[in-house]
Structures are given as C-alpha cells and as structure tokens.
Amino acid sequence: KAGVTQTPRYLIKTRGQQVTLSCSPISGHRSVSWYQQTPGQGLQFLFEYFSETQRNKGNFPGRFSGRQFSNSRSEMNVSTLELGDSALYLCASSLEQPSHEQYFGPGTRLTVT
Amino acid sequence: AQSVTQLGSHVSVSEGALVLLRCNYSSSVPPYLFWYVQYPNQGLQLLLKYTTGATLVKGINGFEAEFKKSETSFHLTKPSAHMSDAAEYFCAVSRGSGNTPLVFGKGTRLSVIA
C-alpha cells in the first residue's frame, strides 16, 4: 500500500506570494491533518479534515487554509507569505480519527525569501 | 487537555549503550501514547503505540516503551544504540476516542557516538 505523498517536496517563494501544497493520503484513510514544523516551535497542528469538512483547527492566522476533496486528497494554501512561514509542512493521514495513529508524508520544505 | 513533556532536547549516547528518552504526559482521560522518529529531511515514522492492554509495548528497530500510569510516563528505551538510531524522536498523546488531534512533544534529538 502506497504511503502518504506530498507535492512538491521543495518550494521557494517570495514574501507576499501565495502557495498551495498537496497531500494524498493512504488509500482508505479519510482523515488528513496538517502540521507546521520549525526548529523553534516544533510540530504545530494546523488543521484536520474528514469527509471534506474541517473538523479541527489549530491556532494559526486566517492566511492558512485548507480543503479536502471527495477522494480524501487535501490541499493547504498560505496567502500573503511571510518570512516566518518558512518551515517543513507535514501531512498525516489516519483511518477515521486523528487521535489514532497517524501516518506522515515526507513533507514540503517551504522557503520564503 | 492533553500535553506532553519530553525531558532533554538533546541526548547523546555511545554506540552499544542504553538509549533512554523520557516522556511525561498529562491527560484527563485514559490516553493513547505514541513515539515517532524523524530522520533528516523526512517525515515522521511511527515507532510504537500504546492504546490499551499490556503496558510494555514493543516497536520497530528494537525500541520499546512502558506505560506507567502512576508516573504519567511513557519512556522510550533500546538496550543497545546503533549509529543508525541517530534521529529526532517525538512523543505524542491523544484522548484515544473522539476527534481531537495528537499533541506532540518538542522532540529529543538523539546522537550516537562511535
């Protein structure tokens, strides 16, 4: 069974631009969670989607948004990029509930210049 | 609310020595507990998990952890460190039931010295 895939793996953007990251969960998994990982803050929860609905949301500004499609694939979008948005963005999938074991993708390394 | 504290942001051991990474949690309900490992430029990989039942949990790569309710701990151990164990390790807790997400600790970087 294929694992969680994320595209692109690396991305360089300029401050003020917007970016869209994509995540394909493990087949059969319906819950998709997104995390931001930085050296200073560690792993921070962004949001979780289930059946195309945002079910949980972390403490991030409205510039961070996401969505989930009917095939469970998910995208996250960051508008008006700031230098502080430079991070590794990780997607994780689980069968039904995010409180159960999650399987992580390799991440998208975003650099904002 | 759940929370996780990992004691020691960096642990260094000699090859062949015991690995002990500490994790304490706070939870108002019986928790599910997890250890994940992250190698450079990769995502997180599940090492082991505790849900219910046996409190000593064995995982991949020779790691194990013991759930101690009285101490609210879930420390990760490995009898003999290998160079390939050098990575960052994350402890996580959840409610188990319901739709609340995992809560991760800050991580512990393990260095293995030859």
Side-chain angles (χ1 to χ4, degrees), chain A residues 37 56 98-102 105, chain B residues 36 38 43 49 94 96 98-100:
Chain A
Q37 185 178 26
N56 290 290
S99 55
H100 293 180
E101 60 197 80
Q102 296 187 1
Chain B
Y36 285 85
Q38 185 180 33
K49 64 177 180 180
S94 79
N99 298 322
T100 53

Side-chain angles (χ1 to χ4, degrees), chain A residues 9-10 35 37 40-41 43 45 48 55-56 88 90 96-106 109, chain B residues 32 34 36 38 41-46 49 88 90 94-102 104-106:
Chain A
R9 290 291 314 276
Y10 301 91
Y35 297 85
Q37 185 178 26
Q41 299 298 318
L43 274 161
F45 172 73
E48 183 247 346
R55 195 163 54 175
N56 290 290
L88 181 66
L90 293 164
E96 298 275 338
Q97 297 178 346
S99 55
H100 293 180
E101 60 197 80
Q102 296 187 1
Y103 295 86
F104 283 78
R109 172 75 62 186
Chain B
Y32 281 15
F34 308 84
Y36 285 85
Q38 185 180 33
N41 298 316
Q42 294 186 26
L44 277 66
Q45 180 184 5
L46 180 66
K49 64 177 180 180
E88 186 135 23
F90 293 91
S94 79
R95 293 174 59 90
S97 61
N99 298 322
T100 53
L102 296 182
F104 285 86
K106 293 288 189 183

Side-chain angles (χ1 to χ4, degrees), chain B residues 4 11 16 18 31 37 50 70 91 97 104:
Chain B
V4 174
V11 170
L18 171 72
V37 61
Y50 168 80
S70 61
C91 182
S97 61
F104 285 86

Side-chain angles (χ1 to χ4, degrees), chain A:
Chain A
K1 189 181 275 190
V4 178
T5 58
Q6 291 187 247
T7 56
R9 290 291 314 276
Y10 301 91
L11 207 49
I12 300 175
K13 290 286 188 179
T14 303
R15 191 171 48 183
Q17 289 185 314
Q18 75 165 16
V19 66
T20 298
L21 312 181
S22 181
C23 171
S24 293
I26 290 172
S27 178
H29 285 195
R30 299 168 64 192
S31 170
V32 174
S33 299
W34 288 89
Y35 297 85
Q36 181 195 66
Q37 185 178 26
T38 58
Q41 299 298 318
L43 274 161
Q44 293 188 284
F45 172 73
L46 281 156
F47 28 65
E48 183 247 346
Y49 285 87
F50 179 83
S51 290
E52 302 178 65
T53 301
Q54 187 181 87
R55 195 163 54 175
N56 290 290
K57 188 178 188 306
N59 189 25
F60 276 81
R63 299 185 297 107
F64 292 82
S65 63
R67 60 177 175 169
Q68 187 180 34
F69 301 95
S70 58
N71 61 358
S72 293
R73 189 177 70 85
S74 177
E75 289 181 348
M76 68 162 281
N77 183 278
V78 188
S79 62
T80 320
L81 284 165
E82 300 177 359
L83 296 179
D85 297 333
S86 293
L88 181 66
Y89 289 88
L90 293 164
C91 167
S93 73
S94 57
L95 273 170
E96 298 275 338
Q97 297 178 346
S99 55
H100 293 180
E101 60 197 80
Q102 296 187 1
Y103 295 86
F104 283 78
T108 294
R109 172 75 62 186
L110 173 64
T111 302
V112 182
T113 61

